[in-house]
Amino acid sequence: MKRAGVWLAGLLIVAVMTSAVAVVYVKYQTRLLFVDLQAMRVQREALDVEWDNLRLEEAALTGESVPV
């Protein structure tokens, strides 16, 4: 009985440590993905500005009005 208790305690310790490492790893991956998301948002905003400028330039060259 005592031996089974020691084995179970050891198994639980390993499970808790594995879980803790998994939490740290997932948190790190989440931070990396958030940084990528922020960079993509900045890129999207820059592309939106460029698109608006191109639409204005096209409208100026063709003499059309640009819908807002």
Side-chain angles (χ1 to χ4, degrees):
M1 189 72 159
K2 191 174 187 181
R3 192 169 209 189
V6 170
W7 188 82
L8 180 62
L11 182 64
L12 289 176
I13 289 171
V14 169
V16 167
M17 294 302 290
T18 303
S19 176
V21 169
V23 166
V24 170
Y25 177 75
V26 168
K27 184 69 174 178
Y28 174 72
Q29 290 297 319
T30 301
R31 288 181 179 174
L32 289 179
L33 290 172
F34 183 74
V35 168
D36 288 344
L37 176 63
Q38 292 299 92
M40 288 180 189
R41 285 180 177 166
V42 168
Q43 183 181 14
R44 182 191 66 198
E45 290 173 10
L47 290 171
D48 283 343
V49 168
E50 183 180 359
W51 175 249
D52 289 341
N53 288 338
L54 289 171
R55 286 178 54 214
L56 287 171
E57 183 179 343
E58 180 186 29
L61 292 173
T62 60
E64 298 176 4
S65 62
V66 177
V68 177

